[in-house]
Amino acid sequence: MRKIFTVSFISLLIASPAVSATPWWQQPTVCRLDPTNCYTSMGIGYDSELWDTNGGCWGMKLICPEALISTSESQPIPMGKSDIAKSKNIKQDFDTNKLNGDCFGVRKTISDGAMASVNGQYVKVWCNGVLNNPDEFLPNGEITFGEQPSCSELADYGYVAVVDNNCYGKYYDPSEYRIECDSDDVLPSRLVILNGADYSTTSGKFPADVSAANKIFDAMENVSENQRSKYYKN
């Protein structure tokens, strides 16, 4: 009976050209992996030779070491899709959907890159050269992980904590402007246009306020009037 069945099956394969012309690996009965959740293409930032066990696909993303919570590695680390989706070992301040050179993991920013995420909160991105000791450099400038600079600290170098293009720290030439600060505010309380005056001079020849200046001008006007009436009589 077995011989008869075997012969009949072979005869069926020979008699069916459609079946015999299809390679065995393309037969509808062959089990195949579902590639729906796999990476459709891989290039820079991927390792295509690693098998993602949890994802059931070839290929892993290479995550930048600075984007990871705990790692002693200086090179990108391959991670599976499920671990990335769960944010496992990934710092909350980094976006692993953005390529950073040859790996994924870019510090999150808003306001066209003028604010960056540090410890879950957004801080100012200072223009290059504003900070004395920046902790990290970004495309638009630099950031500090510690206390942000105060108004008076910025004013010492001629800077004000306002946006200048896509970063903070607008420069005002100290020879043309005086930046006045209140102790509890990062922004200046007043920006004085000097018009060439040297505000550092404390000589008594300069009026202390508008009222004093008006008195000087009144005195000058009286002198001029007396001189005019003395030498130019009608």
Side-chain angles (χ1 to χ4, degrees), residues 157-223:
Y157 298 96
Y159 289 105
V160 174
V162 295
V163 175
D164 185 9
N165 293 323
N166 293 329
C167 56
Y168 280 82
K170 190 173 180 62
Y171 179 74
Y172 289 89
D173 190 338
S175 66
E176 300 178 3
Y177 299 89
R178 181 178 63 184
I179 304 171
E180 296 183 354
C181 299
D182 289 334
S183 59
D184 297 330
D185 197 350
V186 69
L187 292 174
S189 57
R190 186 167 59 171
L191 185 65
V192 180
I193 302 175
L194 301 178
N195 288 331
D198 184 4
Y199 71 89
S200 63
T201 303
T202 57
S203 173
K205 296 180 181 179
F206 296 93
D209 52 29
V210 175
S211 177
N214 288 335
K215 290 180 180 179
I216 293 175
F217 281 115
D218 289 342
M220 292 172 61
E221 185 178 6
N222 290 331
V223 170

Side-chain angles (χ1 to χ4, degrees), residues 12-30:
L12 179 61
L13 290 177
I14 295 173
S16 178
V19 174
S20 61
T22 304
W24 66 267
W25 59 87
Q26 294 182 2
Q27 296 289 341
T29 56
V30 174

Side-chain angles (χ1 to χ4, degrees), residues 71-134:
T71 180
S72 59
E73 300 290 337
S74 59
Q75 299 298 319
I77 307 299
M79 290 186 66
K81 294 192 72 170
S82 61
D83 289 339
I84 295 175
K86 295 174 184 176
S87 298
K88 186 176 180 179
N89 199 32
I90 296 176
K91 294 178 182 177
Q92 61 178 333
D93 299 319
F94 284 78
D95 185 351
T96 54
N97 291 316
K98 294 183 178 180
L99 192 63
N100 184 11
D102 60 352
C103 55
F104 285 89
V106 175
R107 188 174 289 277
K108 297 176 182 177
T109 60
I110 57 174
S111 303
D112 293 329
M115 301 285 288
S117 179
V118 175
N119 297 325
Q121 296 183 345
Y122 283 94
V123 300
K124 292 179 176 63
V125 175
W126 299 97
C127 300
N128 292 322
V130 174
L131 299 178
N132 288 329
N133 297 299

